[in-house]
Amino acid sequence: MFNTLHAGKLAVLGGSIPLDGRVSWVSRGATGFQPSNAYLLTDGSSSLLIDSGLAVHTEEILDDLAGLIGEGGGVSIFFTRPEMDCVSNLEPIAGRFDIERLFTGGVINPFDAFDDLSRLALRGRRHQIDAQRTEEGDSMARAAEIEIAPGRVLEVESPLLRLLPTFWGWDKETGTLFTSDTFTHGVMDRPDGQRIIDSTVEDTTTVEQVAGHLYAKYEWIPRSTCEPLREWLRDKFDTLAPEVIAPSRGCVLKGRDVVQRHLEFMLDALTPQLV
Amino acid sequence: MEEQLIETMSSDLPRSVAKGVTWMSSCLPFHLADRVIHGHNSTYLVQGEHSSILVDTGNPSSWPIISRTLDALLDGRQLTYVFPTHPELPHTGNLPRLVEKYPDIKVVGDIRDYHLFYPQIVPNLHAKVPGDRIELGGQEFTVVEALIRDLPNTQWGFVPEAGVLFTADGFCYMHRPELDDEDPVHLPGECGLTTSELREPVAVENAAFFTGSALYWARFANDADAVYDRVLHLIDDLGVKSVAPTHGNFISNIRDVEPIIRAGHKRAYRYETAQP
């Protein structure tokens, strides 16, 4: 069942996965359950889905989407990464809803995973969001904008902190920063646990936990020059002052104090000698 | 319709590159103003006397031609194994279709996460760790630790009889310096050439560009020598004769190419002045 993060504006959809040794993006020995997240930004009758969740959660995602936009409704989609934890449900969503626009980067067109007939019908709906790359491939300024509805946009950028081609999104209206595969460390002790860490929740997160999740996928961090990453991250949060951190997996981090605390955890994790 | 929707496969391929090893590649075409260039997205078929293994699956949009090529190469036999090096679409995108075509196929490798991405193929998943060997009949496939990788659940493979090391995104490069793209590119007519056959050799600038983009972490980690020293040890220990990357030409002269890739990897590091 989806959770409302901002009434009429933002909801989080998806299921949870057991951390049982069969998941590569958490540290070995990690336990508990990790939320897998897709987010729906809404404005009146317009909707933008950010990522599509895991295939193992197809039914939850489709049912949640039907509850939010109506059976067969129209929706645009933005993928933060062309990785399977983000794109897995594109085809089933296309089978039950009308995908109006698809925003992705890179050279792979996710519609190409479809059968020819569907592909032919949908290919033209893809919008390239990184057509203008920086010369040396550094972080892309917040140049790309996706219009959710007239007067409301999702600003898109390519972060300096990434592994594969990745995009973060910024929704000024709800103060939400969509961070894809970073800030993924919030886990639950049961599959139906609290998927949002806010001021009402006892937050037991430690820097070791944050570092464990970060290094599991970004395994190069402990042997890297991290100062530029810390500077970039601190500047980003100073500039935007987000109220919500919305990762593609892991608990949603909500509230200015929670966001600030977890930013400090992340900055410490990016100082490996402290961990 | 097919021409518009599927990636092309060079008429130079498939090509036998070593004993029992066939290089199959679909090439993603990029249409520039003045010419067409290609990006390799290779798969390799290793055949023994009684079994066969496909290394990587290719992009979903290549499926029709990959399927036809497998039909021709297998000549009525079933594909026994598929070894996806890591779960990115160009490497694993055809897994569901392969299982549908060959229901008894065993998907081998580091199969963490696959149950979340492809729940319908769980019965076909068989976890392997470096050192595990798969007997194909007069030919063996060995799982090897990936020494250069992006995703953590990446593995390499080795076929001792043929001396071929499969390196996924490791040893990928482009050799057209003027092009601003993250994929290794070549011109039509070069799809099926080995590195020793290329008219224009790999340049350090090309290796640096690709490394800095596709292996993004190289700009932060200043340890290229340590990485490639380990690779050379592996090459010596295994007796590697040639290297088969997914996104570049087949490397038939690894001793000549390795120093160029190493130099490019070093050049991809951005923060020399930040070091103590």
Side-chain angles (χ1 to χ4, degrees):
Chain A
M1 185 64 186
F2 65 85
N3 294 95
T4 299
L5 293 170
H6 195 294
K9 298 289 182 183
L10 175 61
V12 55
L13 301 67
S16 65
I17 53 172
L19 303 181
D20 55 4
R22 294 187 296 161
V23 180
S24 74
W25 55 71
V26 298
S27 54
R28 290 192 187 276
T31 57
F33 295 82
Q34 187 180 45
S36 171
N37 304 320
Y39 298 92
L40 190 72
L41 290 163
T42 50
D43 204 302
S45 59
S46 301
S47 301
L48 177 69
L49 184 67
I50 299 181
D51 293 332
S52 69
L54 291 162
V56 75
H57 297 143
T58 298
E59 293 308 316
E60 291 103 309
I61 291 284
L62 295 184
D63 290 346
D64 279 355
L65 205 49
L68 286 160
I69 67 172
E71 195 66 53
V75 63
S76 297
I77 301 178
F78 159 56
F79 285 146
T80 62
R81 283 171 287 122
E83 294 178 63
M84 295 304 294
D85 59 318
C86 299
V87 307
S88 289
N89 286 317
L90 179 61
E91 187 161 11
I93 289 172
R96 190 161 155 184
F97 302 93
D98 178 23
I99 297 179
E100 296 167 341
R101 301 168 297 166
L102 176 68
F103 298 92
T104 73
V107 296
I108 301 297
N109 185 340
F111 282 135
D112 285 348
F114 289 23
D115 292 336
D116 283 351
L117 195 61
S118 302
R119 202 187 320 161
L120 188 66
L122 293 167
R123 237 182 179 225
R125 302 187 188 180
R126 181 194 179 215
H127 296 252
Q128 185 87 22
I129 56 176
D130 58 350
Q132 291 187 326
R133 294 175 180 166
T134 57
E135 279 190 8
E136 297 183 333
D138 286 323
S139 59
M140 185 178 76
R142 282 182 291 121
E145 288 187 347
I146 297 172
E147 185 179 70
I148 303 165
R152 186 174 177 203
V153 297
L154 181 76
E155 297 180 30
V156 174
E157 70 177 305
S158 181
L160 193 63
L161 178 57
R162 67 178 187 265
L163 181 68
L164 295 171
T166 302
F167 301 93
W168 284 15
W170 167 241
D171 177 36
K172 186 176 180 181
E173 184 140 338
T174 61
T176 304
L177 185 61
F178 299 91
T179 58
S180 198
D181 62 348
T182 50
F183 292 93
T184 59
H185 46 263
V187 298
M188 308 179 298
D189 57 7
R190 60 180 200 277
D192 59 347
Q194 170 68 265
R195 70 189 297 146
I196 302 166
I197 296 176
D198 61 17
S199 60
T200 68
V201 173
E202 183 188 4
D203 184 2
T204 58
T205 305
T206 65
V207 67
E208 289 79 13
Q209 182 185 346
V210 174
H213 280 253
L214 183 67
Y215 301 170
K217 186 168 184 186
Y218 291 62
E219 57 188 0
W220 43 273
I221 290 287
R223 54 188 170 86
S224 293
T225 303
C226 292
E227 183 60 25
L229 295 169
R230 286 194 298 272
E231 286 179 7
W232 180 86
L233 201 59
R234 191 176 284 286
D235 178 67
K236 188 59 51 192
F237 277 70
D238 284 348
T239 303
L240 300 177
E243 300 276 351
V244 180
I245 298 175
S248 58
R249 51 179 183 266
C251 293
V252 177
L253 307 169
K254 186 178 182 189
R256 189 66 62 83
D257 291 345
V258 173
V259 166
Q260 187 61 35
R261 184 163 67 247
H262 284 261
L263 170 63
E264 296 301 328
F265 284 142
M266 184 61 71
L267 292 171
D268 284 349
L270 288 167
T271 314
Q273 64 269 28
L274 296 181
V275 178
Chain B
M1 185 175 79
E2 187 174 87
E3 283 183 2
Q4 296 174 338
L5 290 178
I6 68 166
E7 294 165 16
T8 58
M9 186 174 276
S10 165
S11 58
D12 303 328
L13 295 168
R15 173 183 176 179
S16 175
V17 285
K19 182 196 170 194
V21 179
T22 303
W23 180 17
M24 302 163 55
S25 173
S26 61
C27 283
L28 189 62
F30 301 89
H31 295 267
L32 305 183
D34 58 343
R35 60 181 168 162
V36 176
I37 55 172
H38 285 179
H40 277 119
N41 198 76
S42 299
T43 60
Y44 296 89
L45 181 66
V46 183
Q47 291 174 281
E49 291 161 4
H50 57 68
S51 298
S52 53
I53 185 167
L54 186 69
V55 180
D56 279 339
T57 75
N59 269 338
S61 56
S62 307
W63 173 246
I65 198 162
I66 288 174
S67 179
R68 286 200 298 270
T69 306
L70 285 174
D71 288 343
L73 292 171
L74 292 171
D75 193 25
R77 296 182 297 275
Q78 295 290 298
L79 181 61
T80 328
Y81 302 97
V82 56
F83 176 74
T85 56
H86 61 298
E88 283 188 273
L89 269 176
H91 305 265
T92 61
N94 284 317
L95 272 182
R97 286 165 169 145
L98 280 167
V99 173
E100 196 173 326
K101 183 178 175 79
Y102 307 105
D104 296 326
I105 195 171
K106 293 181 170 63
V107 181
V108 294
D110 184 341
I111 46 88
R112 285 178 295 167
D113 310 336
Y114 288 75
H115 64 296
L116 305 172
F117 304 154
Y118 304 107
Q120 71 273 36
I121 69 166
V122 165
N124 300 82
L125 298 175
H126 298 269
K128 299 292 178 188
V129 297
D132 283 351
R133 298 176 176 189
I134 296 166
E135 180 57 47
L136 305 175
Q139 184 90 297
E140 193 177 82
F141 184 88
T142 306
V143 178
V144 176
E145 179 189 2
L147 301 183
I148 303 166
R149 58 178 177 257
D150 46 28
L151 294 180
N153 52 344
T154 304
Q155 287 179 337
W156 287 0
F158 181 62
V159 178
E161 286 289 316
V164 177
L165 180 67
F166 301 93
T167 55
D169 289 341
F171 283 93
C172 299
Y173 57 88
M174 54 185 286
H175 56 280
R176 295 289 165 187
E178 71 274 23
L179 297 171
D180 176 17
D181 200 279
E182 293 182 1
D183 282 84
V185 293
H186 55 277
L187 296 177
E190 296 176 332
C191 304
L193 298 179
T194 68
T195 47
S196 56
E197 295 168 344
L198 284 170
R199 291 181 291 277
E200 200 174 324
V202 181
V204 172
E205 291 77 13
N206 308 140
F209 187 91
F210 180 81
T211 302
S213 298
L215 301 174
Y216 181 76
W217 53 267
R219 65 185 58 204
F220 300 110
N222 189 22
D223 59 355
D225 276 332
V227 169
Y228 287 88
D229 284 350
R230 286 190 73 200
V231 172
L232 282 184
H233 281 302
L234 180 71
I235 285 172
D236 287 338
D237 287 348
L238 294 177
V240 173
K241 295 173 185 166
S242 48
V243 169
T246 304
H247 303 301
N249 293 75
F250 186 81
I251 301 174
S252 50
N253 51 345
I254 183 60
R255 295 288 174 180
D256 295 332
V257 171
E258 184 276 329
I260 298 168
I261 302 289
R262 178 193 293 245
H265 198 117
K266 282 184 183 178
R267 196 175 293 187
Y269 179 67
R270 292 293 185 81
Y271 303 103
E272 202 63 59
T273 55
Q275 290 300 290

